[in-house]
Amino acid sequence: MLNSKEVFSSFSVNDLSKAKEFYKDVLGLEVVDNPMGIIEIHFPNSSKVMVYPKPNHTPATFTVLNFPVEDIDQAVDELIKKGVQFEIYDEEYLKTDEKGISRNNGGPSIAWFKDPAGNIFSVLKS
């Protein structure tokens, strides 16, 4: 029943043009306008994520996109140079270093940042 050939995810933003600019110019992603008035982020493995405007948008309180990278320090440094601010956590079960990278917390090294709409993205060591 749900064995569709193509599955995709989506999330909302409050300003589609700001989101498009951030995804293209800062993150370096392939962003395509969709005739339905939304944008699609296309990835090399042929998957895509749809991003749609929502006037009463509330940012997700969880990670909506994860980007596996070979060198997390390099990825974080490059994004910081482009103005991305990484989240700093100092909680009992989640701590990050001064760059915003969580290391040795029971999973892969990972760093979280937000898009212009406040949605949470991450880069993580693949």
Side-chain angles (χ1 to χ4, degrees), residues 4 20 32 46-47 55 62 71 80-81 83-84 106 119 123:
S4 176
K20 181 179 179 180
V32 177
S46 299
S47 64
F62 51 87
D71 186 333
I80 287 172
K81 286 179 189 172
V84 173
N119 294 312
V123 289

Side-chain angles (χ1 to χ4, degrees), residues 35-61:
M36 295 187 307
I38 64 175
I39 58 175
E40 299 175 1
I41 304 170
H42 290 209
F43 298 97
N45 65 355
S46 299
S47 64
K48 64 184 171 190
V49 172
M50 296 192 147
V51 181
Y52 58 93
K54 185 177 177 194
N56 60 346
H57 165 76
T58 301
T61 58

Side-chain angles (χ1 to χ4, degrees), residues 5-6 28 54-55 64 94 110 116 122:
K5 220 177 179 185
E6 184 178 329
K54 185 177 177 194
V64 298
L94 178 59
I110 184 168
S122 83

Side-chain angles (χ1 to χ4, degrees), residues 14 23 30 37 43-44 47 49 67 74 79 81-82 89 92 97 99 104:
N14 56 351
Y23 304 151
E30 180 185 354
F43 298 97
S47 64
V49 172
F67 296 94
Q74 179 183 359
L79 289 170
K81 286 179 189 172
K82 291 185 169 199
Y89 298 105
E92 182 179 354
D97 62 20
K99 287 167 73 169
N104 304 313

